[in-house]
């Protein structure tokens, strides 16, 4: 769950990977971590959202999507419940205290928000010809 925190939680698959039934896995997880797998995952997502709000030049909606939420309302309510302030208020309190914000395009690329454009196969650009001629 820590590695794939952006993906939807497939509790059956996680439980099967651990060798438990879904219900036994939830009970065992809660006994060890003090919270359900869903609560744990939501906490990890909120930590990532806090980091992005402090460091990335992305909108709250973009961050909501990047950390794995599909509803901005749910994201904002959970964020406020965890931090005591809305995502926008959190950003306003923390931005400007350190380094400049990372441009949104770099943050989205790093977080997997989009893939860089690729040239269609078989098509060569002028830069390819120049590098061959130079070599």
């Amino acid at each position: 769950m820590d590695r794939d925190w952006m993906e939807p939680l497939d509790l059956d698959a996680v439980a099967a990977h651990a060798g438990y039934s879904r219900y036994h896995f939830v009970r065992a997880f809660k006994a060890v971590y003090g919270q359900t797998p869903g609560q744990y995952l939501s906490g990890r997502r909120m930590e990532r959202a806090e980091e992005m709000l402090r460091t990335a030049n992305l909108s709250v909606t973009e961050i909501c999507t990047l950390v794995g939420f599909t509803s901005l309302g749910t994201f904002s309510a959970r964020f406020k419940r965890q931090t005591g302030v809305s995502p926008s208020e959190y950003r306003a309190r923390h931005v400007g205290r350190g380094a400049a914000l990372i441009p949104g395009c770099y943050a989205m690329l790093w977080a997997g928000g989009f893939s860089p454009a690729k040239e269609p196969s078989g098509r060569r650009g002028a830069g390819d010809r120049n590098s061959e001629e130079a070599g």
Side-chain angles (χ1 to χ4, degrees):
M1 283 193 301
D2 285 326
R3 184 187 65 222
D4 298 325
W5 55 269
M6 289 188 291
E7 301 298 321
L9 177 61
D10 183 352
L11 198 50
D12 290 322
V14 173
H17 184 73
Y20 292 111
S21 73
R22 172 189 184 115
Y23 302 104
H24 184 69
F25 178 76
V26 171
R27 285 191 301 273
F29 192 97
K30 188 168 185 175
V32 172
Y33 292 99
Q35 54 190 342
T36 66
Q39 292 166 335
Y40 178 84
L41 183 59
S42 183
R44 298 293 75 74
R45 289 175 175 172
M46 288 297 117
E47 289 172 1
R48 299 321 190 274
E50 288 177 34
E51 181 182 349
M52 287 184 173
L53 286 165
R54 288 190 309 265
T55 61
N57 190 17
L58 296 168
S59 71
V60 173
T61 303
E62 289 169 323
I63 291 171
C64 164
T65 303
L66 285 173
V67 299
F69 283 88
T70 56
S71 165
L72 180 59
T74 301
F75 168 73
S76 295
R78 287 189 185 168
F79 190 91
K80 187 168 186 171
R81 189 178 330 128
Q82 181 167 326
T83 64
V85 294
S86 71
S88 298
E89 291 174 275
Y90 184 89
R91 172 175 273 160
R93 288 183 182 181
H94 292 90
V95 168
R97 294 184 170 189
L101 292 176
I102 298 167
C105 56
Y106 289 113
M108 287 187 72
L109 182 62
W110 176 82
F114 62 84
S115 301
K118 295 182 180 177
E119 292 270 336
S121 60
R123 188 170 175 208
R124 301 171 65 146
D128 293 336
R129 284 191 304 273
N130 289 341
S131 61
E132 286 179 5
E133 290 171 3

